Structures are given as C-alpha cells and as structure tokens.
Amino acid sequence: MPDVKHFDEAEALAAVEQLFWRRGSAATGIQDVVAATGLSRSSLYNAFGGKDDLYAAAAKRYLEHRSRPMFDQLAADGRGLVAVRGFFDQLLRLRCSGEYAGWGCMMANANAENPPDAVRAVLSEHHAVLRDSLAAALKVAQGNGELQSGVEVTGAAELLTLLAYAINLRSRSGATRAQLRSAVTAALAALAT
C-alpha cells in the first residue's frame, strides 16, 4: 500500500523557501530542512527528491510568489521612469525594513553561490523576466521622451537589472536604504533627460 502524505506540500515548500533564502544552499543541510518543516527525511525525499531538487522547487516558488508579481506590475505600469523609480523604491523598502530585511533576494543570493543546474535555469528565468520588465518600462519612458537621446533600452534594462541584484546583495551586508538609494538616483539620472 502506498504511503499516504499527511502534510501540506505547499506549506512545507514555503518553509524550505525561507530557509534557503535566509541561509543559502551551502549553509543549509537536510537536517536543517527537517527541523524547519518537521518532516522526516523520507517524507522530504519522497515529496521533493534530493536537496538540489528541493532547492530548485524553493527557487521556483520564490520566483512565482515573490518576484514575478513585482515584475509583472512593473511591466504593466505604463508610467515610464516613474514606474522604474517605484520599482526600486519598493525593492529598497523590502530589503531594508520589515520581516525580511537583511535577507536580500533568494535569486541574488543563489547567484553568489555555485547553484545546481536546475537552480541555474530558474536564475536565468528570473533575470530575463526582470530585465524584460525593466525594458518594457524604459520603452514607455523612451516613447514619452524621458530618456537621453541615444539610450539603448536593452542595455539600460540590463544595467538596471544588475543594479537590482547589487542592491539585494549589499542589503544583506547592512547597507542602508540611503546608501542604496543614491545608486538608484545616479543610475536613473544618467538615463533621464
């Protein structure tokens, strides 16, 4: 008779996501996952596979539940540079205050490790969606005449994507909101008319 699951996989994955987000993969062992979820090793392996599979599932959850909603909102905003500033304001608020202050972004943190291939695929998707959302907002800004003449939208979107990752990493090491905001202000001033 097959083993019947007596736990909520989504709830367990949410706990695992927070564990990997806060500590990273290298510093997180299966025993840490067992302690965070209250599940046995066999239940974890049966539901999710090994540690790399669990890390990939947690990364996908982070992308879908935390990152993508912000990125989709940015892409659909329609206000050009105001939308880009709003995105960075929200990012700074999330990284420098509240429940997850000092945690950075799970995706930025994973980029700083040597993630397994399954996680690299999620990181590539995260990067592409963020870059494309910034590019959509910059195209609106360009159409509104808000950008300097000659600004190449794809390259500018890539630059702002890398700035977002840098903000996430620096917030983990205690950079203040004012310090991080100065970089955003300088980057946007270099693009704006």
Side-chain angles (χ1 to χ4, degrees), residues 43-67:
S43 292
L44 287 167
Y45 288 129
N46 287 335
F48 302 107
K51 179 182 167 184
D52 288 352
D53 299 319
L54 191 55
Y55 187 30
K60 287 176 190 168
R61 185 185 191 289
Y62 184 94
L63 171 63
E64 294 305 323
H65 289 88
R66 298 190 187 271
S67 299

Side-chain angles (χ1 to χ4, degrees), residues 5 15 17-18 25-26 29 38 42 53 63 72 85 94 100 103 110 117 140-141 143 164 173 175 183:
K5 291 180 185 164
E17 172 199 352
Q18 288 195 6
S25 176
S42 61
D53 299 319
L63 171 63
D72 290 348
R85 279 188 200 94
L94 290 170
Y100 306 112
W103 288 24
D117 288 342
V140 170
S173 61

